[in-house]
Amino acid sequence: MSTPRIIATTIGIGASAVAGYGMYRLMLIGSCTGDGCGSGIWVFVVALLLAVIAAMVGDTLLLIATLLAGLGIGAVLGAVADPTGQWVGYVIGAAMVLSSLTSVLVGRATRKAMAGMRAAIRDSLPTVTPDTLQTTGRAAVAEVLAVRETGTTVNDNPVVGLRVRLTPTDGGAPVEGEKNAVVSRLNIPRVGERFAAGYDPGSPDSFVLILTVNDHTPAHLRELYERMRTEATPGFDPLERLGKLNELRLAGALTEAEFERQKAKLLDSTG
């Protein structure tokens, strides 16, 4: 537990005890005749607010249970000390103590269930990540079969649903994979385009398109990437791509500098 949570929890326990004392004083208001009879209200309100604030920062479950227990005990003691015998104090006290015990039991069960759920989710996630596929994935030529919008963006780049046909370069049988992926808004894959890719043979949906290489890219994927760059992409129209870039520029999605840079790259690739 962090230091701020420890401090908040300690303050919350103390505030809960004071709130319990305030509840005790409130239960005695009916028989109180002195000038200080109303002070119990302020003690109760201030301590209650402090305990609630502390519960938001510290150990929430512990402080909620402590506060309910303190208020319940204070109500019962007030009912015992009141010579008029306020039976309502016993009812309030019993209800709060019972609520305290219930919150502990329910809270523990909820925490245990959430921990089990997190473990199940963690175990169900694929162990192969895009980073490992970039280095250890089986090399394949990925042909884009379908691209669908998801309506989600990450840093202004769209998340699209990709369905590809993966043809292993070692002569294995082609397989199809599908997943959501973040792509550059300047270079969204199109149906018919082909890319170098790495994928997990045991799970075709675990694949990554090799859009760039670095010093950590293994030789077999680097060679495939370079070969794919030199091949003509079926259905690729540089004029249409240039028109798309211009539309992005006119819409304000591209600056003039970005447009000129992408146009020069496009002309270089077709020249």
Side-chain angles (χ1 to χ4, degrees):
M1 185 182 295
S2 63
T3 301
R5 289 196 66 191
I6 294 176
I7 295 175
T9 300
T10 302
I11 294 175
I13 293 174
S16 297
V18 176
Y21 173 73
M23 175 63 77
Y24 167 77
R25 293 289 301 274
L26 286 177
M27 300 305 299
L28 298 178
I29 285 182
S31 60
C32 183
T33 58
D35 295 335
C37 291
S39 61
I41 298 177
W42 295 106
V43 171
F44 174 77
V45 171
V46 172
L48 183 63
L49 288 175
L50 186 58
V52 170
I53 293 173
M56 297 172 64
V57 180
D59 189 325
T60 303
L61 176 61
L62 173 63
L63 292 182
I64 289 177
T66 302
L67 177 60
L68 290 173
L71 294 176
I73 293 173
V76 171
L77 292 179
V80 172
D82 190 350
T84 61
Q86 295 183 0
W87 62 268
V88 69
Y90 294 109
V91 175
I92 294 175
M96 287 190 171
V97 172
L98 181 61
S99 297
S100 174
L101 296 175
T102 302
S103 66
V104 172
L105 296 177
V106 172
R108 286 183 176 178
T110 301
R111 284 182 175 178
K112 185 176 181 180
M114 291 299 295
M117 185 180 300
R118 286 193 295 267
I121 293 174
R122 184 176 60 251
D123 293 340
S124 67
L125 292 176
T127 57
V128 181
T129 67
D131 289 338
T132 59
L133 290 173
Q134 289 260 22
T135 56
T136 64
R138 186 179 186 182
V141 174
E143 180 182 355
V144 180
L145 302 178
V147 180
R148 64 176 171 79
E149 297 181 357
T150 64
T152 304
T153 59
V154 176
N155 296 329
D156 294 330
N157 291 317
V159 178
V160 299
L162 291 176
R163 183 163 60 87
V164 301
R165 179 182 294 113
L166 299 160
T167 304
T169 57
D170 57 10
V175 295
E176 291 188 7
E178 184 173 357
K179 74 171 185 177
N180 291 346
V182 181
V183 298
S184 170
R185 72 182 192 277
L186 305 179
N187 190 23
I188 299 176
R190 301 169 59 184
V191 174
E193 285 188 296
R194 301 198 305 164
F195 299 90
Y199 79 101
D200 176 14
S203 176
D205 290 338
S206 297
F207 65 87
V208 61
L209 303 182
I210 309 299
L211 303 178
T212 184
V213 296
N214 53 45
D215 294 339
H216 300 291
T217 305
H220 69 293
L221 291 178
R222 183 188 298 273
E223 292 173 3
L224 178 60
Y225 170 81
E226 295 297 339
R227 176 163 63 85
M228 296 301 299
R229 287 187 62 188
T230 61
E231 292 183 358
T233 304
F236 174 73
D237 185 351
L239 293 180
E240 184 179 351
R241 180 64 62 85
L242 185 59
K244 292 290 186 182
L245 290 173
N246 189 50
E247 290 177 5
L248 290 173
R249 179 181 66 85
L250 294 177
L254 283 180
T255 65
E256 289 291 339
E258 287 176 325
F259 172 74
E260 293 297 333
R261 184 164 56 252
Q262 293 299 322
K263 182 175 73 172
K265 185 185 299 184
L266 180 62
L267 295 176
D268 288 343
S269 64
T270 58

